[in-house]
Amino acid sequence: MRPENQSSVSEFLLLGLPIQPGQQGVFFSLFLGMYLTTVLGNLLIILLIRLDSRLHTPMYFFLSHLAFSDISLSSVTVPKMLVNIQNCQQSISYMGCIFQLYFFMLFGALDNFLLAVMAYDRYVAICHPLHYTTIMREGLCTLMVAGSWMVSCGSALLHTLLLVRLSFCADIIITHFFCDLSALLKLSCSDISLNEVVIFIEGGVLLSLPLGIILGSYIRIGTIILRVPSTKRLFKAFSTCGSHLFVVSLYYGTLAGVYFFSSSWDSKDIIASVMYAVVTPMLNPFIYSLRNRDIKQALEMCVNRVKFFR
């Protein structure tokens, strides 16, 4: 069959989740509930941080951006997946696929950088508590978040531009529930060696740098704590870093399951992708609120305000 170039490919077909014909309604309700929980939970965190002056600190400034990124990451893939489940309509336009790919990579990379920034913030809070306000000043916090956005946008744009130059064959079936870069490259008839080199070099640097900051921060925190061990210090460190450490483990665990420990896109890889793109953004509000006294107090204050004005 003669290959078609990218200008003649008007749409792709998303195979979606491996759902039996009689189970669409159950999975539609499940993922709709998860998506609404993600959006409402993260919006609540953003609202509480905005309304409560006690939460106007670097940690919660970074957390508000992470919550926005989680909403966006989930919104890039889940609504289209819900439409496909409900209507059994698996097609996505070429431009729709490109835009979905770009924003998925953008917010995925942004999550990565924000977790690294938050790890550095915890390192300063525990290892340099007396200089915390001096080091983590407003200008530096803004610069770190702005830098995370700029690098993430640039990385996503680079991979997207390298993809749109490729030609695609008659096979337009994407064995996934969203337009993933690896799955799209497998459909190309063109030479993808440049794409693979850029993914290996640029992707490796942008993944290893934040991961190195996270690991370095926690190794330094552990060294400081173990130097003069005490139950009080261990409890304080765990209460300060426990939520972030759990989110980091969940994020990199599912990321590794998707992109490192899989040889081909099958049901196991799709489950790992659902964990990464759907479940993790949904769990973050619970992780940060259930173990966070400040968030709980802000929520109680907000509820009391609502009761007062009734």
Side-chain angles (χ1 to χ4, degrees):
M1 187 176 293
R2 195 167 65 91
E4 299 174 282
N5 61 31
Q6 63 175 7
S7 61
S8 64
V9 175
S10 59
E11 65 178 16
F12 293 99
L13 296 179
L14 297 170
L15 283 188
L17 302 175
I19 300 175
Q20 298 299 323
Q23 298 177 336
Q24 283 96 337
V26 175
F27 279 91
F28 177 85
S29 300
L30 175 63
F31 284 110
L32 177 61
M34 294 171 68
Y35 177 65
L36 292 177
T37 302
T38 300
V39 173
L40 295 177
N42 283 289
L43 279 178
L44 179 60
I45 285 183
I46 295 173
L47 181 63
L48 292 176
I49 293 173
R50 179 69 176 173
L51 294 178
D52 195 331
S53 59
R54 294 172 299 179
L55 301 181
H56 293 175
T57 63
M59 182 180 75
Y60 294 109
F61 173 68
F62 300 139
L63 179 58
S64 65
H65 281 271
L66 181 65
F68 176 79
S69 180
D70 284 339
I71 293 173
S72 303
L73 181 65
S74 188
S75 297
V76 168
T77 57
V78 178
K80 178 60 179 175
M81 180 178 66
L82 291 173
V83 171
N84 290 351
I85 293 175
Q86 181 70 9
N87 300 332
C88 297
Q89 180 67 30
Q90 297 176 317
S91 64
I92 182 172
S93 67
Y94 175 81
M95 288 305 300
C97 188
I98 296 301
F99 276 111
Q100 187 184 63
L101 171 69
Y102 171 78
F103 285 108
F104 182 81
M105 290 191 296
L106 190 162
F107 292 112
L110 183 60
D111 266 12
N112 192 28
F113 283 106
L114 289 176
L115 289 174
V117 169
M118 294 173 74
Y120 176 73
D121 173 73
R122 294 300 83 206
Y123 157 73
V124 176
I126 293 176
C127 298
H128 303 282
L130 298 180
H131 302 285
Y132 179 76
T133 55
T134 304
I135 298 174
M136 300 302 295
R137 57 192 183 277
E138 183 178 354
L140 178 62
C141 295
T142 303
L143 182 63
M144 288 193 291
V145 170
S148 299
W149 274 95
M150 291 176 63
V151 174
S152 299
C153 289
S155 174
L157 182 61
L158 174 62
H159 289 294
T160 303
L161 291 177
L162 288 176
L163 178 72
V164 297
R165 71 183 180 86
L166 302 178
S167 299
F168 291 93
C169 303
D171 183 10
I172 57 173
I173 299 176
I174 300 175
T175 56
H176 216 309
F177 65 91
F178 68 95
C179 293
D180 180 80
L181 180 60
S182 299
L184 284 169
L185 290 178
K186 292 179 180 179
L187 301 181
S188 175
C189 301
S190 306
D191 180 13
I192 61 172
S193 57
L194 178 60
N195 300 73
E196 292 175 336
V197 169
V198 171
I199 290 173
F200 180 77
I201 297 177
E202 186 260 2
V205 170
L206 294 187
L207 182 64
S208 59
L209 179 62
L211 183 59
I213 293 174
I214 293 171
L215 292 176
S217 297
Y218 279 109
I219 289 173
R220 184 60 178 163
I221 289 172
T223 302
I224 293 295
I225 294 173
L226 295 177
R227 186 177 298 170
V228 186
S230 68
T231 305
K232 184 178 180 180
R233 294 189 69 178
L234 286 172
F235 178 78
K236 182 179 179 181
F238 181 75
S239 63
T240 304
C241 304
S243 298
H244 177 262
L245 193 57
F246 187 83
V247 171
V248 167
S249 302
L250 191 62
Y251 176 85
Y252 282 102
T254 54
L255 188 66
V258 174
Y259 293 108
F260 293 101
F261 300 135
S262 59
S263 57
S264 62
W265 291 109
D266 54 23
S267 59
K268 292 182 180 179
D269 304 310
I270 292 178
I271 292 172
S273 298
V274 169
M275 288 291 297
Y276 169 69
V278 183
V279 178
T280 301
M282 179 191 70
L283 292 179
N284 284 353
F286 295 100
I287 295 170
Y288 279 105
S289 60
L290 292 178
R291 299 193 57 85
N292 193 303
R293 183 178 60 185
D294 295 333
I295 293 289
K296 288 181 181 180
Q297 290 176 349
L299 181 59
E300 290 175 1
M301 184 185 71
C302 185
V303 171
N304 291 332
R305 282 182 179 179
V306 173
K307 290 181 179 179
F308 177 78
F309 286 108
R310 280 186 176 180

